[in-house]
Amino acid sequence: MLNHKSEFIQLFYEFINSYPYTADGISHINSYTQQRQEAYRNFETITAAADRGENITELVLLQLLPHSNTSNNRQKGAWIHIAPAITKDIKEWFEEANWSKSEDWNQIANVILNFVRCCNGNPKQLFSYCVRLQFSQFFESKGFHMGILTPILNALQPNEFLLINNTSQRVINYFSNTNYGNKLTDYPELNNTGRNLIQELAQDMHQIGVPALRDDDLFDMFCYWLIAIKKYDFQYLNQQKITKVDTNIESNPKYSLSDISKEICFEETTIERWIRTINRKKQAIFYGSPGTGKTFIAEKLAKHLISEGNGFSELVQFHPAYSYEDFIQGIRPQSDDGKLTYPLVPGRFLEFCKKAEFCQDICVLIIDEINRANLAQVFGELMYLLEYRNQEIPLAGGNRFRIPENVRIIGTMNTADRSIAQIDHALRRRFAFIELRPNYLVLFKYHLNKNFAAIHLINVLKQLNQAINDKNYEIGISFFLTPNLREDIEDIWKMEIEPYLEEYFFNNLEKVDEFRWDKIEKQITI
């Protein structure tokens, strides 16, 4: 039934990123609930008045039919609707078109009310009310097409009746390959077709960052954006000016195990074990003392994981002030044309997952310094989803969310800041933890052709780390991965290594003195 699915996905992604969180979009979102509440009150008032035998003509025409948001309509007490079929006085409009006479309006209003009451009371008989009862053939109903009458049906029973106007009618016809018109007699079949289409598209619409709306309202909002704002040309296949959906996405360059092994100087078997662990667990943390190359290795692993695929990798760094609102979602003040609004905005992880849903292959998020934030607070509901990847749950601020299957998370953790023992067990159970110790082979190979005898520096580092006698605080090798180490090493040692040692041996400064530059300089062949 569904045509052009890839086109819909591309357009819907553009819609989510361009309209809902603007000032107009937020107003549009709020209108659905407001309109239904007002419509229900109007319907109850009018039916009660009709049952008392009162003249309900003006009430029906003003408060059961959708009007545009003008000062005149507001003053008259008209029902203001996001999809207004009536933009001026309906009596003048119909009488000028010779669709009705002034003396007809009392009977017209009663026919409209009776039609709405019947549909609302027995939705299963919609076909009979629209076709067999031939509402559209009553002289009173000439001109009362779907756009005028379906808004009130939808407002009263949104689970049964779609809001159909010229906008949604065009979109449904296009994506379902149908050709329904706007007559009321077409509505029963179009209503079924549209509801089936929305059900088929629901999973594609359940993206990260979508507004907390019913599926049918979200689809209606998308239709409005597509026609009224984007002004989309549905004949795009015959128009060169319209960008076609690219189904031949260029793959990332190849980056093999051999390539990564050469760069990080670990055996391929070790790297392969890491890759298996990341793919099995879906998230892993590389932990170790400062300078062990955690971030560098994480970036190379991400490059390998997305190699020859259409995925991507991103890096975010945590810090003590990083929050749930930054990572998942939260209210953010925004200025739009001088108006201050407070939309619910997706955070960095939701944005990442939203993009990952449009990729077939693996996407990697690197969380650098993951232990510097309050993880239980930052992750929130993510703690559950990290373990149950096949589940979808509601978020605290609205919307439902799941982590796409193709998402991998690689964290880095400096154990000098916070030991792995201080990470709560719930989080530790959800991540694989991979320890990194100083890899002196990397240092040796890096300086092999640079006329610097790294072996002597390595011996000093081994002695120093033995004196530290705590793997969480060992001195790593990345301090010394600089092409001008011969010129830089004295500054590195005095300004980076010695202050670190002074902090670690704060109650035993004699230890620091053993590794001052003037003591170890002679041991290092420069």
Side-chain angles (χ1 to χ4, degrees), residues 124-158:
K124 302 301 180 186
Q125 295 299 313
L126 177 66
F127 182 81
S128 295
Y129 300 136
C130 289
V131 179
R132 293 176 187 169
L133 295 181
Q134 297 182 328
F135 175 92
S136 62
Q137 294 182 18
F138 281 106
F139 78 93
E140 298 91 344
S141 67
K142 192 170 185 179
F144 285 92
H145 51 73
M146 282 188 281
I148 290 182
L149 290 168
T150 62
I152 184 62
L153 298 183
N154 171 261
L156 295 175
Q157 293 211 47

Side-chain angles (χ1 to χ4, degrees), residues 16 19-23 25-26 29 209-211 334 336 341 343-346 399:
I16 288 299
Y19 181 60
Y21 298 107
T22 64
I26 293 167
I29 292 169
V210 299
Q334 294 183 0
D336 193 338
T341 60
L344 185 66
V345 177
N399 307 325

Side-chain angles (χ1 to χ4, degrees), residues 284 298 435:
E435 184 180 36

Side-chain angles (χ1 to χ4, degrees), residues 276-302:
R276 284 200 310 268
T277 299
I278 292 169
N279 282 325
R280 173 181 58 82
K281 196 73 174 177
K282 304 293 195 299
Q283 48 266 343
I285 291 177
F286 284 85
Y287 69 98
S289 61
T292 47
K294 298 177 291 294
T295 304
F296 180 78
I297 290 173
E299 290 174 337
K300 299 305 176 185
L301 289 172

Side-chain angles (χ1 to χ4, degrees), residues 189-225:
E189 290 188 13
L190 180 53
N191 184 51
N192 288 334
T193 299
R195 290 170 65 191
N196 290 335
L197 177 67
I198 291 168
Q199 185 176 6
E200 193 171 350
L201 293 171
Q203 186 172 355
D204 297 308
M205 293 194 296
H206 290 173
Q207 299 175 19
I208 303 137
V210 299
L213 283 172
R214 297 168 50 93
D215 289 343
D216 52 325
D217 290 344
L218 187 60
F219 181 79
D220 178 74
M221 189 177 180
F222 165 76
C223 294
Y224 169 80
W225 168 84

